[in-house]
Amino acid sequence: DQQVKQNSPSLSVQEGRISILNCDYTNSMFDYFLWYKKYPAEGPTFLISISSIKDKNEDGRFTVFLNKSAKHLSLHIVPSQPGDSAVYFCAASDGQNFVFGPGTRLSVLP
Amino acid sequence: EAGVVQSPRYKIIEKKQPVAFWCNPISGHNTLYWYLQNLGQGPELLIRYENEEAVDDSQLPKDRFSAERLKGVDSTLKIQPAELGDSAVYLCASRRLAGESTDTQYFGPGTRLTVL
């Protein structure tokens, strides 16, 4: 029973365009959501987060949107750059533990 | 500020052998997590420590896995004996405080274990 789902295993985007990565969750006890980026042979790196009291959080080229009623969040990257090519994990927390999705591999094509 | 440190980065052993992984969390971080990550999947929690206490080890296969966090700082995860299916990346993460909803956890580089 996957509590956090990322239904797109991979995504390809042209450099300069927008990348949209999606995540769905099932547990209504989750109140904090994060995105991590992972390069090969490295640990996940924290990218951006959002609390359940907000519906949007922005940090430079990265914006996370949260739709609590739909139990859905998305990560927007604008403009996408080749260095953004990595695996992106969505994570949800109930304040104690973190549950991760299976990841989406983003490829930004020059 | 130094990040989470893990060693070794890579380990190759034969099945039935023991293996141990070490983690040093970010200074001042009271909460420490060990995760298992299989290829193509997200990290899965094995155990969570708050200071020196293991507060959630429900996902730790206790017949062969053990962990400790003496003095509430460094932690060691051990597998004895290792099985072929234990081949994976073992990640350590730390967090300043548990229970603070918006407190982020930070990961180390991981240890890639290969069991032959």
Side-chain angles (χ1 to χ4, degrees):
Chain A
D1 178 30
Q2 274 192 321
Q3 296 188 72
V4 178
K5 301 175 184 179
Q6 294 177 257
N7 292 323
S8 297
S10 63
L11 174 68
S12 292
V13 171
Q14 208 69 35
E15 180 180 4
R17 305 297 292 268
I18 184 171
S19 295
I20 300 176
L21 293 87
N22 294 303
C23 176
D24 297 287
Y25 62 96
T26 58
N27 189 340
S28 57
M29 296 300 292
F30 292 144
D31 60 1
Y32 183 48
F33 305 89
L34 310 89
W35 285 94
Y36 286 84
K37 180 167 80 169
K38 186 181 183 305
Y39 292 120
E42 295 183 12
T45 302
F46 169 70
L47 193 57
I48 192 170
S49 63
I50 188 166
S51 165
S52 59
I53 62 173
K54 296 184 176 181
D55 55 16
K56 176 183 174 180
N57 188 26
E58 194 171 352
D59 183 2
R61 298 185 297 113
F62 302 92
T63 303
V64 55
F65 295 92
L66 175 62
N67 182 334
K68 281 186 64 180
S69 61
K71 293 190 176 67
H72 176 83
L73 64 155
S74 61
L75 174 68
H76 292 211
I77 306 174
V78 183
S80 301
Q81 300 174 354
D84 297 328
S85 297
V87 177
Y88 289 78
F89 292 100
C90 169
S93 176
D94 59 5
Q96 303 293 331
N97 289 332
F98 295 79
V99 180
F100 287 80
T104 295
R105 180 177 300 278
L106 174 66
S107 299
V108 180
L109 309 173
Chain B
E1 180 182 74
V4 178
V5 179
Q6 288 187 250
S7 69
R9 291 294 313 277
Y10 303 91
K11 189 73 177 179
I12 301 174
I13 60 171
E14 293 189 346
K15 64 180 181 181
K16 300 185 182 179
Q17 294 299 307
V19 65
F21 315 122
W22 176 80
C23 173
N24 180 243
I26 294 172
S27 177
H29 281 200
N30 299 319
T31 304
L32 184 146
Y33 303 80
W34 281 103
Y35 290 91
L36 165 72
Q37 185 174 23
N38 287 306
L39 191 63
Q41 298 181 24
E44 299 173 25
L45 179 70
L46 288 171
I47 189 168
R48 182 180 103 240
Y49 281 93
E50 291 179 18
N51 298 304
E52 66 276 6
E53 183 182 357
V55 294
D56 187 348
D57 63 357
S58 58
Q59 302 303 310
L60 189 73
K62 299 180 186 64
D63 56 335
R64 297 183 301 107
F65 286 65
S66 64
E68 60 183 14
R69 191 184 183 198
L70 301 176
K71 300 181 181 179
V73 181
D74 295 1
S75 178
T76 303
L77 178 69
K78 298 178 181 177
I79 309 175
Q80 181 169 11
E83 297 179 351
L84 294 177
D86 296 331
S87 296
V89 175
Y90 292 82
L91 292 162
C92 179
S94 71
R95 188 184 190 199
R96 189 167 54 88
L97 286 172
E100 292 289 333
S101 289
T102 56
D103 215 14
T104 300
Q105 68 171 342
Y106 297 90
F107 282 89
T111 297
R112 179 174 295 278
L113 173 67
T114 302
V115 183
L116 302 176

